[in-house]
Structure formats: C-alpha cells, structure tokens
Amino acid sequence: MNGRRSPYEIYWEILVYCKSPRSFTAVINRCDLNSKTGQEYLEFLHSKGYLSVMKDGEKSTYVATERAGDYIALFTEIYQKLFDTIPGFRL
C-alpha cells in the first residue's frame, strides 16, 4: 500500500473514534483531516445513518449509531482478508 488512506478507511476511523460522542474538532484532529474534508466525511456518514449529531446548546457532538457497527465489522473483515491484518488506528 502507498500509505494513503482510502475513503472507506477514513469512514472506518471516524466511526471507530465516534463510538463515544466526539466534537468536530476532536474528530478532524484524531483522524488527521482538514476542516473541509472532515465536514464532508461527517455529513456523508450522517446522511447514511452511521453517525448521529447530538446538540447541547451551541455544542454539537458526533456519535456512531448502532448501524455503524455493521460497517465497522464488514470493513474490518474485508481489510483483514486483503492484508492479513486488521486496520490500524492510533487510539
């Protein structure tokens, strides 16, 4: 592999990280994304029902939905079959 992450791996990283509620800033920092790209990924995952947005006044946090568990499990299985290892994420 060339070291670059595919969009599918980035989705996986976001969903794994958001098993606990996380702020936008925390997600983009931990997943090493810029603001514009991070917003696009978060909006996509939210539109597909994999992330929910929890609002507390002006503060919003993102949390993976139950449905995200299916994506995480399937991606992990496919990745493991391709590369004989599970995907890595610096938690």
Side-chain angles (χ1 to χ4, degrees):
M1 294 207 4
N2 62 7
R4 296 197 65 159
R5 299 173 295 169
S6 72
Y8 306 107
E9 188 171 3
I10 295 169
Y11 296 144
W12 179 87
E13 288 179 352
I14 292 170
L15 294 174
V16 168
Y17 187 59
C18 288
K19 284 184 177 180
S20 298
R22 307 291 183 168
S23 69
F24 174 76
T25 303
V27 173
I28 64 168
N29 287 336
R30 175 52 91 173
C31 297
D32 196 24
L33 301 168
N34 66 45
S35 293
K36 181 177 184 265
T37 303
Q39 190 64 46
E40 291 170 359
Y41 280 108
L42 292 171
E43 287 175 3
F44 176 79
L45 290 169
H46 181 257
S47 75
K48 297 297 182 184
Y50 293 117
L51 279 181
S52 63
V53 180
M54 298 169 36
K55 300 224 182 238
D56 183 16
E58 290 185 23
K59 183 180 178 189
S60 295
T61 55
Y62 295 87
V63 65
T65 63
E66 189 175 312
R67 185 173 179 201
D70 293 337
Y71 180 89
I72 292 168
L74 289 170
F75 179 83
T76 302
E77 181 182 346
I78 290 168
Y79 192 96
Q80 190 168 19
K81 287 182 182 195
L82 286 172
F83 302 109
D84 296 325
T85 185
I86 60 170
F89 186 50
R90 311 171 318 265
L91 285 178

